Amino acid sequence: MTNGTAVSAASWTLTPGGPVVASGGTVVIAGGTTGTGVTGTTVTARGWMNGGSGLSGTSLIDQLAFSFTNCGEPAGMTCQITRVGTVAFDATAHCSGVTTGNPVRVTLRCTGPFCAVSGCFGLIPAGDRVSISFTLTLSPSPTITSP
């Protein structure tokens, strides 16, 4: 506190704001029911960084469009992440230049010879909640501070 002004416990700062392109390596997608899933080798994303200060951490990056390639299980399957509404990135922690968080409101669609309306080869049943894990490098590289 300074001069009687309270500082929010969840006050993030993100600069610059504006368009962002992100890329990374391995992505792992696992079905919530089965715990099994698919692995891809390249993930890319485009979105909008909501620059500013006094941010809550919710939707630090939004209007995200994701894609990934070279899914390896089962052979011949390709996967695509598609948007439902506005996909966003909610930050949960920031330490040593790494921001951790969650993509929210994402629908996963798998296509390939082993996929059907009922799911992909039994790995990810249709309608199942999934976990998605990947690391991205952002361009331009933002400056982020967190609580």
Side-chain angles (χ1 to χ4, degrees), residues 88 104 106 134:
V104 293
V106 179
F134 52 85

Side-chain angles (χ1 to χ4, degrees), residues 32-118:
T33 303
T34 63
T36 60
V38 296
T39 301
T41 58
T42 305
V43 61
T44 56
R46 293 182 181 277
W48 188 267
M49 290 190 292
N50 293 309
S53 59
L55 305 172
S56 70
T58 301
S59 296
L60 281 185
I61 302 174
D62 66 15
Q63 301 175 21
L64 287 171
F66 286 94
S67 67
F68 62 98
T69 57
N70 301 322
C71 296
E73 300 174 47
M77 187 168 76
T78 60
C79 297
Q80 178 180 1
I81 296 178
T82 57
R83 291 194 282 174
V84 172
T86 302
V87 178
F89 175 79
D90 292 349
T92 57
H94 181 78
C95 182
S96 301
V98 176
T99 302
T100 304
N102 302 299
V104 293
R105 297 179 303 273
V106 179
T107 294
L108 173 67
R109 180 187 329 149
C110 292
T111 58
F114 300 106
C115 295
V117 174
S118 62

